[in-house]
C-alpha cells in the first residue's frame, strides 16, 4: 500500500490551493425533463405506492420510482444505483431528505421494467436492495443518526434499530392504508443530529446514569470551567481529589441533579456516561413539522425507557407496532398521529396504545412543564 | 472468510428492509477481492474492522468510538470530524477513522458520472463507506486516515470542483427541498437561494467564528418536507399573499370521483367516496371555504395557507402567484434548554436574486448573536434569554400581531426610559404633595 500523492505538497500547503468553491451547482445534475419544466409543474399523483407522476404545463410527465435504502451505504451499493440509473434513467438519480432513492423516467412505459429490475435485486442475506414505496399515507424511510457505527456519544445504535423497525413496518412502507403519512425518526442521543423531536414517532437513545469521573486524567484532558459550565442543572462543581497519593484538580457531580444529557461529556472526554444497563431508548410520539390543518408540534415522551436489545430491539419495535396499529384503527382520514392523540385525549391515547403511564412522563423541566399539566376539569375517565 | 465473527450483526441480514450489514459485508468482500486493482490508501480490511467494532458494541451495549481530535484541512475549521476507535489493537483498520462532510448538490440530484467519480475517490482514499446523506444534508465519507484528508480535499477541489461541508461552530451546510424543480407547490426556487447563500457565506461555512452551529434550511411550501421549522436557526418556508387559484372543473372532477383525493395517497384503504364537505371544507382550520351549488369558494383573506385543500385536490387548487417566503428563526433540538420550533420573524419577503433583503436580516442576526451569544448558545436560546423584542430591534423589524400566537399573559413590560417621559424625578417635589 504505497502512498500515492494527489498533487498536494505538504511542504507548501498554499501552493495551487483551491478553497471556498462550495458544492456543485444544482442544475448541472437535473434530468432533461426536470430542467425543461422547472417551475412549470401543474399537479402530481401517486399512481401506486412508491410511484409518482408529475405533470407539467407543457404536458410533459416525469415518473418517479421511490425506493428505500439504508443511509449507511457503501460504494458498491452506490455503483449499483448508478448501474440502474444508467440503464433506465439516462444516468440521473436523486436522493430525498429521508434517505430514499428516486429514479425518474420520462415515459410511463419505462416504469414497470424499472420496478421489476429494482425488486429483482436482493442482498446475499435475502433483504431487498431497493424496495419501492415510501409515499402517501404510509410509513416512509426512517431518518436517523450515526449510532454505534461511528459516534462517540450514542446511547443506542442507529442503523440496527432502524433496520429492525422497518422490517416490522415494511408492509406500511409499501402500502397506503394509514390515515395520513407517518414519519418515524431515530436519534441515538439527545444531541439529535437528526432533529427527531417533531416526528410522528421518534426513537431516541438516552443515557440514565451520571458520568464516570476519570480523575487522574480529567484536568489534563479537559478545561474544567467548560465542563462545569456545560451542565444545564449546575450539578458539576470543581473538586480536589486524591489519586494515588497525589492531589489533583477535578470535578464532583451531584448525581441527583443530573439529567443525563451528556453535555459534560461533549465538553470533557473524562466524563463518559455510556453504560450497558443505563442506556436505552425513549419513545416519543405525536410530533410533526407540516403546517397542514394543525400547526407543527413537538413529539411527546410516551415511553420513558426501553432497554437496548441488540441485534433486533424487539421491545422497541413491538411498542412502535402497537402505536401504529392503534393509530391506524382510531384516526380519521388525514389525521396525523398527534392530531388523533389530541382529539381523543392523551389519557385515551395511552389506553388505546396499551402503554403504561408513569411519573416519568410528567414534565418537570423548567417553565414549559407547567403548560403541560391539566388546568381544567375536562378529562376522560 | 470474515476477519471477525459477527453472530449478532448477522441477525440483521434477514427481513425485507435493505440490510446495512449485508452491504458492509459486500464491501468488505469487494475490497478483499479488489477486482479493479485499487491501491487502497487506508487499510484494505477496514470494512471488516467496522463490522468487528460494531459487533463488539452489540455485545457490550456501548459505543467504541472516542472523542474526535483536532484534525482537518489547512485553513478550514470544519468539514472533518476526527474519530478514533477505543480498541485500536483489536481493530487496527479503523484506529484512526475520520469523517468528512461533502457539500451535497441542491435537491440531491446527481448524474451517475459524478457519483461514480465520488465512489472511485472514496474507495481509493477511504473506507468506501458513506451516508447518503447525513442529517444536515451532506454526503458523509465515513472513515479515513489523517494523511488522506488533504489528499482528498485536493482531489475534490482540483478534479471535482467540489468543496467540503460545515461542522463545528460554523454555518452548517444549507439544505433544501426539491422545490420548483419537481413540485408544483413550491413558492420559490429553493435550490437557487440555497446555492446562492451557500456561495455567499463560504467563509462562515468553513471557518468557525460563531458561538455555535447555525443552520439554514429551505422549504418550498408550508408542508415543510425538509423540516426547516423544527431544526433550522433560520428557516425559509415558501408562502403566497394572493388568492389560491381554483379550477372549478377539476373540483368537479374530484367531487365526481374522477380524480383520487390527495393525489392517490389513501389508495390502500376504502375510505368511501370522496366527500368534499367532510374532507376539505370542514377540515379547513380557518373555516374560510364553502362548497355551494357545485362551486368551491375560498375567502382568501381569512386563509392561513395550511396547504390542506391544495394537498387534497392538487389538480384543482394551486398556490397563488404573489409568492415568497416566511422566515422563522431559532429552531433547535432539545439540547440543552429544551426544543424550540422556529418563531416567525419575517411574515413575507420576496425570494428574488440577489436576495438583498434576506441577506440583511441574516447579517443583522449574526451581528447580534456573535456579539451577545454565549459559547454554545444557539440563536433560539439567545432570543429566549434577551427577548423577542431584542431580536426585532437588532433586525430593524417592526412588531406586528403576526409575530405572536397571542399577547403576553403578564404586564411585566420592560418599559424604556424614553417611553415613559424619563425616569429622573425629584423626591423633594414628591414630598411637597406627600408628607412623610
Amino acid at each position: 500500500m504505497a502512498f500515492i500523492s494527489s498533487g498536494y505538497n505538504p511542504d507548501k500547503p498554499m501552493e495551487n490551493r483551491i478553497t471556498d468553491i462550495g458544492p456543485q451547482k444544482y442544475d448541472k445534475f437535473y434530468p432533461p425533463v426536470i430542467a425543461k419544466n422547472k417551475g412549470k409543474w401543474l399537479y402530481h399523483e401517486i399512481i401506486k405506492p412508491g410511484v409518482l407522476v408529475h405533470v407539467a404545463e407543457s404536458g410533459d410527465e416525469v415518473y418517479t420510482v421511490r425506493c428505500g435504502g439504508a443511509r449507511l451505504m457503501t460504494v458498491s451499493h452506490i455503483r449499483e444505483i448508478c448501474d440502474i440509473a444508467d440503464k433506465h434513467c439516462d444516468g440521473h438519480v436523486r436522493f430525498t431528505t429521508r434517505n430514499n432513492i428516486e429514479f425518474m423516467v420520462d415515459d410511463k412505459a419505462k416504469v414497470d421494467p424499472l420496478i421489476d429490475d429494482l425488486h429483482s435485486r436482493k442482498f446475499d442475506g435475502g433483504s431487498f436492495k431497493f424496495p419501492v414505496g415510501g409515499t402517501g399515507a404510509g410509513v416512509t424511510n426512517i431518518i436517523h443518526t450515526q449510532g454505534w457505527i461511528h459516534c462517540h456519544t450514542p446511547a443506542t445504535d442507529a442503523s440496527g434499530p432502524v433496520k429492525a423497525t422497518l422490517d416490522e413496518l415494511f408492509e406500511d412502507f409499501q402500502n397506503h392504508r394509514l390515515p395520513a403519512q407517518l414519519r418515524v425518526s431515530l436519534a441515538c442521543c439527545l444531541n439529535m443530529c437528526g432533529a427527531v423531536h417533531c416526528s410522528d414517532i421518534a426513537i431516541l437513545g438516552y443515557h440514565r446514569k451520571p458520568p464516570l469521573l476519570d480523575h487522574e486524567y480529567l484536568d489534563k484532558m479537559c478545561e474544567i470551567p467548560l465542563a462545569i459550565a456545560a451542565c444545564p442543572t449546575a450539578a458539576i462543581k470543581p473538586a480536589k481529589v486524591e489519586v494515588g497519593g497525589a492531589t489533583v484538580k477535578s470535578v464532583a457531580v451531584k448525581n441527583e441533579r443530573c439529567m443525563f444529557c451528556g453535555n459534560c461529556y461533549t465538553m470533557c472526554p473524562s466524563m463518559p456516561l455510556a453504560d450497558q444497563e443505563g442506556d436505552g431508548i425513549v419513545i416519543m410520539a405525536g410530533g410533526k413539522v407540516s403546517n397542514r390543518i394543525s400547526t407543527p408540534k413537538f413529539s411527546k415522551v410516551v415511553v420513558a425507557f426501553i432497554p437496548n436489545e441488540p441485534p433486533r430491539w424487539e421491545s422497541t419495535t413491538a411498542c412502535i407496532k402497537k402505536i401504529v396499529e392503534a393509530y391506524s384503527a382510531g384516526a380519521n382520514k388525514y389525521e396525523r398521529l398527534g392530531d388523533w392523540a389530541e382529539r381523543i385525549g392523551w389519557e385515551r391515547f395511552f389506553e388505546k396504545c396499551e402503554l403504561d403511564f408513569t411519573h416519568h412522563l410528567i414534565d418537570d423541566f423548567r417553565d414549559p412543564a407547567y403548560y403541560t399539566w391539566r388546568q381544567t376539569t375536562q378529562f376522560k375517565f | 472468510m470474515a476477519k471477525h465473527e459477527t453472530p449478532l450483526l448477522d441477525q440483521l441480514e434477514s427481513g425485507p428492509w435493505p440490510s446495512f450489514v449485508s452491504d458492509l459485508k459486500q464491501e468488505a468482500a469487494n475490497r478483499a477481492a479488489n477486482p479493479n486493482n485499487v491501491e487502497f490508501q487506508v487499510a484494505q480490511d477496514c470494512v471488516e474492522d467496522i463490522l468487528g467494532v460494531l459487533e463488539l458494541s452489540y455485545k457490550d451495549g456501548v459505543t467504541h468510538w472516542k472523542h474526535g481530535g483536532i484534525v482537518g484541512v489547512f485553513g478550514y475549521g470544519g468539514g472533518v470530524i476526527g474519530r478514533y476507535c477505543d480498541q485500536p489493537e483489536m481493530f487496527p483498520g479503523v484506529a484512526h477513522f475520520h469523517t468528512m462532510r461533502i457539500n451535497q448538490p441542491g435537491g440531491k440530484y446527481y448524474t451517475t458520472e459524478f457519483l461514480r467519480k465520488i465512489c472511485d475517490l472514496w474507495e481509493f482514499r477511504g473506507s468506501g463507506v458513506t451516508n447518503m446523506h447525513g442529517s444536515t444534508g451532506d454526503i458523509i465519507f465515513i472513515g479515513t486516515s489523517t494523511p488522506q484528508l488533504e489528499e482528498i480535499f485536493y482531489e475534490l477541489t482540483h478534479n471535482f470542483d467540489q468543496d467540503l461541508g460545515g461542522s463545528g461552530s460554523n454555518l452548517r451546510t444549507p439544505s433544501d427541498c426539491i422545490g420548483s424543480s419537481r413540485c408544483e407547490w413550491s413558492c420559490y426556487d429553493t435550490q437557487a437561494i440555497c446555492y446562492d447563500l451557500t456561495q455567499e457565506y463560504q467563509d462562515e461555512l468553513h471557518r468557525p467564528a460563531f458561538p455555535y452551529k447555525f443552520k439554514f434550511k429551505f422549504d418550498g411550501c408550508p408542508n415543510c418536507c425538509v423540516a426547516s421549522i423544527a431544526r433550522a436557526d433560520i428557516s425559509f418556508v415558501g408562502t403566497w399573499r394572493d388568492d389560491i387559484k381554483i379550477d372549478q372543473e377539476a373540483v368537479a372532477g374530484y367531487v365526481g370521483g374522477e380524480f383520487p383525493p390527495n393525489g392517490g395517497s389513501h389508495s390502500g384503504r376504502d375510505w368511501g367516496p370522496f366527500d368534499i364537505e367532510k374532507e376539505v371544507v370542514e377540515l379547513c382550520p380557518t373555516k374560510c371555504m364553502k362548497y355551494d351549488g357545485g362551486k368551491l369558494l375560498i375567502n382568501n383573506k381569512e386563509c392561513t395557507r395550511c396547504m390542506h385543500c391544495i394537498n387534497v385536490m392538487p389538480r384543482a387548487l394551486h398556490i397563488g402567484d404573489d409568492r415568497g417566503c416566511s422566515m422563522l428563526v431559532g429552531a433547535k433540538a432539545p439540547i440543552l434548554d429544551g426544543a424550540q420550533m422556529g418563531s416567525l420573524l419575517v411574515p413575507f419577503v420576496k425570494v428574488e436574486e440577489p436576495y438583498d433583503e434576506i441577506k440583511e436580516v441574516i447579517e443583522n442576526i449574526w451581528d447580534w448573536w456573535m456579539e451577545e451569544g454565549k459559547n454554545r448558545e444557539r440563536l433560539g436560546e439567545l432570543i429566549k434569554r434577551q427577548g423577542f423584542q431584542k431580536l426585532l430591534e437588532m433586525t430593524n423589524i417592526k412588531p406586528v400581531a403576526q409575530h405572536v400566537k397571542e399577547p403576553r399573559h403578564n404586564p411585566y413590560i420592560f418599559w424604556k426610559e424614553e417611553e415613559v417621559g424619563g425616569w429622573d424625578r425629584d423626591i423633594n417635589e414628591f414630598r411637597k404633595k406627600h408628607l412623610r
Side-chain angles (χ1 to χ4, degrees), chain A residues 1 6 16 20 24 30 41 44 46 74 76 79 86 150-151 157 163 263 265 292 312 334 366, chain B residues 11 14 17 23 27 40 58 63 67 97 112 116 123 151 160 181 184 191 207 263 279 337 376:
Chain A
M1 186 170 88
S6 60
N16 299 323
D20 300 88
Q24 297 279 305
Y30 285 160
W41 296 101
H44 77 277
I46 310 172
T74 70
S76 294
R79 284 174 178 146
D86 284 341
H150 209 222
C151 181
D157 187 33
K163 157 75 175 155
N263 204 43
Y265 181 59
R292 181 175 183 174
R312 296 205 71 100
Y334 306 114
R366 306 209 171 145
Chain B
Q11 296 175 53
S14 56
W17 188 256
D23 188 17
E27 190 60 32
F40 297 114
Y58 272 51
T63 191
H67 266 72
F97 213 56
T112 53
R116 285 183 197 280
E123 179 181 41
E151 306 297 327
F160 291 65
S181 70
E184 69 273 19
Q191 279 137 43
R207 296 170 194 88
E279 297 185 35
D337 241 358
R376 284 166 49 82

Side-chain angles (χ1 to χ4, degrees), chain A residues 148 276 307-314, chain B residues 8 11 57-59 61:
Chain A
W148 290 337
Q276 182 161 25
N308 279 323
E309 296 168 319
R312 296 205 71 100
W313 278 266
E314 291 84 355
Chain B
L8 293 172
Q11 296 175 53
S57 282
Y58 272 51
K59 217 171 106 204

Side-chain angles (χ1 to χ4, degrees), chain B residues 170-199:
Chain B
N170 289 3
L171 174 63
R172 297 300 182 85
T173 308
S175 71
D176 50 17
C177 72
I178 194 162
S180 50
S181 70
R182 201 198 63 197
C183 183
E184 69 273 19
W185 295 330
S186 191
C187 302
Y188 65 96
D189 187 343
T190 53
Q191 279 137 43
I193 182 172
C194 183
Y195 183 77
D196 184 282
L197 297 188
T198 304
Q199 299 300 91

Side-chain angles (χ1 to χ4, degrees), chain A residues 30-37 90 92:
Chain A
Y30 285 160
V33 64
I34 295 292
K36 181 181 160 199
N37 295 291
D90 301 317
H92 292 274

Side-chain angles (χ1 to χ4, degrees), chain B residues 142-401:
Chain B
I142 296 179
T144 192
S145 63
T146 308
Q148 289 304 313
L149 298 173
E150 286 288 358
E151 306 297 327
I152 292 165
F153 182 67
Y154 189 95
E155 292 216 35
L156 284 174
T157 50
H158 285 75
N159 308 328
F160 291 65
D161 193 22
Q162 171 67 50
D163 211 329
L164 300 183
S167 66
S169 293
N170 289 3
L171 174 63
R172 297 300 182 85
T173 308
S175 71
D176 50 17
C177 72
I178 194 162
S180 50
S181 70
R182 201 198 63 197
C183 183
E184 69 273 19
W185 295 330
S186 191
C187 302
Y188 65 96
D189 187 343
T190 53
Q191 279 137 43
I193 182 172
C194 183
Y195 183 77
D196 184 282
L197 297 188
T198 304
Q199 299 300 91
E200 172 97 17
Y201 298 121
Q202 280 288 296
D203 191 33
E204 286 79 1
L205 199 152
H206 296 303
R207 296 170 194 88
F210 288 153
Y212 201 14
K213 64 180 94 166
F214 198 94
K215 298 182 179 182
F216 292 148
K217 295 196 189 293
F218 304 90
D219 273 310
C221 83
N223 282 326
C224 281
C225 289
V226 292
S228 68
I229 200 164
R231 57 190 186 134
D233 296 272
I234 304 184
S235 57
F236 301 80
V237 182
T239 196
W240 65 94
R241 285 188 293 199
D242 55 347
D243 294 354
I244 292 174
K245 292 181 285 188
I246 309 179
D247 174 346
Q248 297 290 355
E249 254 177 64
V251 172
Y254 283 101
V255 173
E258 192 187 333
F259 310 130
N262 218 71
S265 283
H266 293 78
S267 60
R269 193 194 295 197
D270 182 8
W271 292 93
F274 177 65
D275 180 340
I276 192 168
E277 282 288 350
K278 207 170 125 218
E279 297 185 35
V280 180
V281 175
E282 286 173 23
L283 289 180
C284 169
T286 64
K287 304 285 179 275
C288 70
M289 312 184 83
K290 243 188 351 200
Y291 185 66
D292 201 3
K295 264 186 97 173
L296 186 70
L297 304 166
I298 302 176
N299 179 3
N300 280 281
K301 190 163 168 33
E302 297 307 312
C303 170
T304 50
R305 303 167 310 287
C306 84
M307 295 298 292
H308 175 65
C309 58
I310 298 176
N311 289 342
V312 175
M313 303 191 291
R315 290 177 190 244
L317 301 181
H318 302 275
I319 57 171
D321 288 324
D322 184 10
R323 301 171 189 172
C325 80
S326 300
M327 291 169 70
L328 296 93
V329 296
K332 58 179 277 291
I335 198 158
L336 271 175
D337 241 358
Q340 284 179 244
M341 205 72 80
S343 299
L344 182 69
L345 176 65
V346 179
F348 184 87
V349 60
K350 291 297 247 186
V351 186
E352 286 162 356
E353 285 180 59
Y355 314 110
D356 284 340
E357 217 180 318
I358 287 169
K359 287 174 188 169
E360 195 188 324
V361 175
I362 292 169
E363 288 166 23
N364 283 334
I365 287 175
W366 282 349
D367 285 347
W368 174 49
W369 181 54
M370 288 169 76
E371 183 71 28
E372 296 286 336
K374 295 186 199 168
N375 184 33
R376 284 166 49 82
E377 183 175 51
R378 290 285 288 271
L379 175 64
E381 291 162 330
L382 174 64
I383 298 170
K384 265 169 91 173
R385 184 162 62 83
Q386 295 204 344
F388 197 84
Q389 283 91 337
K390 188 75 180 171
L391 170 71
L392 292 174
E393 190 186 315
M394 300 315 289
T395 49
N396 304 313
I397 292 171
K398 193 175 156 286
V400 289

Side-chain angles (χ1 to χ4, degrees), chain A residues 7-251:
Chain A
Y8 170 72
N9 179 357
D11 296 328
K12 293 181 182 166
M14 290 311 291
E15 195 175 72
N16 299 323
R17 195 166 189 86
I18 299 173
T19 66
D20 300 88
I21 55 175
Q24 297 279 305
K25 188 146 187 255
Y26 52 93
D27 55 2
K28 261 177 77 176
F29 294 153
Y30 285 160
V33 64
I34 295 292
K36 181 181 160 199
N37 295 291
K38 180 173 176 174
K40 295 174 202 144
W41 296 101
L42 210 50
Y43 69 90
H44 77 277
E45 223 161 83
I46 310 172
I47 46 183
K48 58 182 172 180
V51 185
L52 303 107
V53 58
H54 287 80
V55 180
E57 288 166 8
S58 65
D60 285 355
E61 295 176 332
V62 59
Y63 290 85
T64 301
V65 178
R66 179 179 295 172
C67 42
R71 78 161 208 179
L72 183 72
M73 198 177 273
T74 70
V75 294
S76 294
H77 194 65
I78 300 171
R79 284 174 178 146
E80 191 164 342
I81 292 169
C82 291
D83 291 342
I84 297 166
D86 284 341
K87 191 168 151 197
H88 299 274
C89 316
D90 301 317
H92 292 274
V93 65
R94 78 171 285 266
F95 294 80
T96 72
T97 302
R98 300 191 74 89
N99 309 323
N100 292 306
I101 307 150
E102 288 190 340
F103 296 99
M104 283 166 279
V105 292
D106 54 12
D107 183 347
K108 195 171 185 180
K110 297 176 183 171
V111 172
D112 284 337
L114 169 59
I115 293 174
D116 291 344
D117 189 355
L118 291 168
H119 272 164
S120 72
R121 293 170 190 259
K122 289 191 170 183
F123 283 112
D124 287 346
S127 63
F128 286 108
K129 282 180 170 170
F130 305 104
V132 174
T135 51
V139 171
T140 187
N141 205 342
I142 297 179
I143 53 155
H144 63 92
T145 56
Q146 212 65 279
W148 290 337
I149 193 108
H150 209 222
C151 181
H152 65 295
T153 65
T156 186
D157 187 33
S159 298
V162 164
K163 157 75 175 155
T165 303
L166 279 165
D167 279 343
E168 184 74 42
L169 301 180
F170 190 72
E171 276 177 32
D172 282 321
F173 180 78
Q174 300 201 306
N175 199 338
H176 289 163
R177 68 158 184 138
L178 297 181
Q181 72 231 64
L182 187 102
R183 301 278 183 257
V184 186
S185 312
L186 180 145
C188 55
C189 84
L190 181 65
N191 278 312
M192 286 198 191
C193 304
V196 304
H197 57 290
C198 299
S199 307
D200 294 282
I201 298 178
I203 309 166
L204 174 66
Y206 212 84
H207 305 289
R208 291 186 308 160
K209 295 195 184 191
L212 291 159
L213 302 174
D214 196 354
H215 292 303
E216 193 182 343
Y217 290 90
L218 201 139
D219 190 34
K220 295 173 208 153
M221 301 285 285
C222 318
E223 298 279 352
I224 288 177
L226 288 181
I228 291 169
C231 183
T233 62
I236 306 173
K237 59 180 186 187
K240 290 214 161 54
V241 184
E242 296 284 324
V243 179
T247 305
V248 296
K249 279 198 242 171
S250 185
V251 298

